[in-house]
Amino acid sequence: MRVLAVASEGFPFVKTGGLADVVGALPGALAPEGIAVTTMLPGYPAVMAALGPVEASETVADLFGAPARLVRAQAAGRDLLVLDAPHFFARSGSPYLSPTGGDWPDNAMRFAALGRAVAQAVPGLGAMAGFDAVHAHDWQAGLAPAYLRFSGSNVPTLFTIHNLAFQGQFPADVFGLLGLPAAAFRTEGLEYFGMVGYLKSGIWFADRVSTVSPGYAAEIRTPQWGMGLDGLLRGRGGALSGILNGLDTAEWDPSADAHLPARFEAKTAAAARARNKAELQKRMGLAAAPDAPLFVFIGRLAWQKGVDLILEALPAILDQGGQLAVLGSGERALENRVHGATAAQTGRVGSYVGFDEGLARLCYGGADFVLMPSRFEPCGLGQLCALRYGAPPVVAHVGGLADSVVDANEMALASGVGTGFNFAPVGHEMLSAAIERAIGVYREPALMRQVQANAMAQDVSWTRSATKYAAIFREMVAGRG
C-alpha cells in the first residue's frame, strides 16, 4: 500500500517540534506493516539542500501566482515528494515565522499551496506514480482533504491533529483565493465563526481523523478542551481515533547516544547516570551535589506547559535539598521569571534559555526526574524520552501524559509497576505534592532503582501504534474499493 504523508515539517530535514519527529518516524514504523510512505514536504532551503538525485518531477503551471514543481527524490533513507515553490518556501529561518518574529503574512496561501499540490500529486502516473491513501498532519495540511474531495478524487484521507490549539484560522476573504467552490465555505466545511479554518477543513473533509493519544481524543470532545471544535469532533463519532505517539528508539537510545558522557543500558544505568548528572550540574551552573535530587524541565516556556507552576512549586524542590534545571525558550515573561529564579538561587537553579539538542539529551540521561506539568498535552514526547533514559517523569494527569506514565503510588510501588509520578488537578499545590512523593522515593535507593528500571522497560516504540495506523489505512482503502 502506498501512502502519501503531508506535513509542514519532518525530521531530519526541518523541525520545530514534536510534529517533525512523528512525521520522520512513521514511515519506518509502517514499513513492516507493508505500507510504503512517501513524505511530502514544502521545499524549504534545508529540504532542497538535502535532496539526493531527483527521480522525477512534474510542473505545477500556476500555484497561486507563480509556477512550481513536484520533485520526487530520496534523502536520509526516506522517500520524499517535495513541493518546490520558491515564491512560498525559499526563505531562511523558521517555516512559519518571519525574521521579525511574527507569522509570515502569506501563511494562508503558503499552506493552501501545500494542500492544493496534494490533489495534483495523488493521481500521478509513471515515475510520479500515485497513492492509495493520504495522511495529512495538522492545520498546515488541513486543506488537502478539501482539495481532494472537490477534485473528485477517490483516494481516502486520514487527518491527524497534533495540537488542537493551533487551528490555522484566516480572514474570510482568503477563501476567494483558494480556488475551491463556494459550497466549501459553509458551516459544513471550511467556515469557522466567519473565518476560514484550515484545521476544521481537515476534520470535516477527511475520511478518518486521529489524534496523538487516546486521552486527548476524549478530552477534545469536551467544551473545556475542544477549543470550539468539540461539537464537530463529537459529531465525527467513530471516525475519530486516539493513537499514542512513539519514539524512534534507534534515534533515542541511551546505550548509543553520542551526547552522553556515559552511555548506558538498564543494568549499567546507576553509575553512568551519576557521571552524566555531574556533567549536567556543571553545564547548568549547579552545585556539584551527587545526592541532591535533580529535576529538569525541557521544552517550550509556555502557559500550556505549566512552566509557571514549576516556578511556584520551586520551594518543594529546594526546601528538600533538590535542584532545578530549565532548558527551553518561549514566552518572554516566563523567560524573565526563569532568569530571575536562576539569579536568586545560584547553584540550586540553572537554566539555558534557548535550545541545545546535546544538552537536552544530557538532561534526559543525567537528571533524576523530568517535570511535565502541562495544563493540556496531546501526547508529549518528553515523557517517552524520560522513560527511555531512566529519568522518571513527573506529569500532569492529562492527555498522552496520563496514557503513558504509570503513577508510582503505594500500590504501584508494592506491585513493582510504577514508572513516574502523576498529579491532578493541575495546579502548583498538587505538583508540589508529586515532587515531594518523587523525592521520597529518591531517598530510598532501592525503590528509586526499581522505578527507573520500570521506566526503561517500557515499550515506547512505534510498534503498537503503527499497527493501529496501518489498520486505519487498510479500512479506508477497502471502504473505497
Side-chain angles (χ1 to χ4, degrees), residues 316-331:
I317 298 174
L318 302 185
D319 290 352
Q320 298 187 71
Q323 298 175 330
L324 172 67
V326 177
L327 169 61
S329 62
E331 297 168 13

Side-chain angles (χ1 to χ4, degrees), residues 8-9 14 42-49 83 89-91 95-96 110-111:
S8 58
E9 55 185 89
V14 57
Y44 309 119
V47 175
M48 299 304 298
L83 177 58
F89 303 121
R91 305 172 185 181
Y96 316 117
R110 296 172 76 224
F111 296 110

Side-chain angles (χ1 to χ4, degrees), residues 32-360:
E33 296 287 336
I35 294 176
V37 177
T38 296
T39 305
M40 184 172 178
L41 296 172
Y44 309 119
V47 175
M48 299 304 298
L51 293 185
V54 172
E55 298 172 4
S57 66
E58 181 177 335
T59 299
V60 182
D62 182 4
L63 189 61
F64 300 129
R69 62 176 184 148
L70 289 164
V71 178
R72 194 154 194 168
Q74 283 200 347
R78 293 162 172 84
D79 292 319
L80 297 182
L81 185 63
V82 176
L83 177 58
D84 181 20
H87 58 300
F88 285 136
F89 303 121
R91 305 172 185 181
S92 59
S94 165
Y96 316 117
L97 305 177
S98 72
T100 61
D103 290 346
W104 288 109
D106 60 346
N107 270 352
M109 301 313 298
R110 296 172 76 224
F111 296 110
L114 183 64
R116 183 174 167 184
V118 171
Q120 179 161 338
V122 162
L125 301 173
M128 295 293 287
F131 300 92
D132 301 304
V134 169
H135 188 183
H137 292 269
D138 253 355
W139 74 261
Q140 294 91 346
L143 290 190
Y147 281 113
L148 285 168
R149 177 75 61 86
F150 288 104
S151 73
S153 172
N154 193 46
V155 173
T157 57
L158 168 65
F159 180 68
T160 295
I161 302 164
H162 292 262
N163 192 333
L164 196 68
F166 302 102
Q167 298 189 5
Q169 296 175 24
F170 299 98
D173 57 10
V174 164
F175 181 78
L177 306 175
L178 299 180
L180 289 166
F185 190 62
R186 56 185 181 183
T187 303
E188 298 81 11
L190 275 69
E191 190 275 334
Y192 184 70
F193 295 103
M195 302 182 75
V196 179
Y198 283 34
L199 188 98
K200 186 193 174 190
S201 167
I203 296 170
W204 182 267
F205 287 110
D207 296 87
R208 295 284 296 270
V209 179
S210 71
T211 191
V212 290
S213 71
Y216 193 58
E219 290 171 354
I220 61 177
R221 300 185 210 198
T222 68
Q224 180 180 7
W225 298 116
M227 310 281 178
L229 291 168
D230 53 290
L232 172 58
L233 290 162
R234 288 193 299 273
R236 292 299 325 247
L240 173 62
S241 304
I243 303 176
L244 190 67
N245 279 346
L247 285 182
D248 181 338
T249 51
E251 176 67 27
W252 290 91
D253 181 359
S255 70
D257 194 327
H259 297 290
L260 300 181
R263 304 170 196 175
F264 58 91
E265 299 175 341
K267 62 184 178 182
T268 59
R273 296 190 97 266
R275 286 180 55 195
N276 294 336
K277 180 176 179 177
E279 179 63 21
L280 178 58
Q281 288 171 322
K282 179 180 178 181
R283 291 190 58 181
M284 282 291 194
L286 298 170
D291 294 331
L294 174 55
F295 293 78
V296 299
F297 172 84
I298 309 157
R300 284 189 296 117
L301 305 184
W303 177 87
Q304 177 203 335
K305 300 295 185 180
V307 178
D308 56 315
L309 304 180
I310 294 173
L311 297 172
E312 291 167 16
L314 190 54
I317 298 174
L318 302 185
D319 290 352
Q320 298 187 71
Q323 298 175 330
L324 172 67
V326 177
L327 169 61
S329 62
E331 297 168 13
R332 183 60 58 84
L334 288 173
E335 289 184 358
N336 290 339
R337 289 184 65 182
V338 168
H339 283 306
T342 304
Q345 298 290 344
T346 302
R348 305 172 78 192
V349 176
S351 60
Y352 181 99
V353 176
F355 188 72
D356 181 301
E357 179 72 21
L359 185 55

Side-chain angles (χ1 to χ4, degrees), residues 439-463:
I439 293 176
V441 168
Y442 179 84
R443 298 298 185 199
E444 296 189 48
L447 270 183
M448 183 64 181
R449 287 194 297 271
Q450 182 61 59
V451 175
Q452 287 179 317
N454 293 346
M456 294 188 72
Q458 299 305 298
D459 181 4
V460 296
S461 74
W462 276 102
T463 303

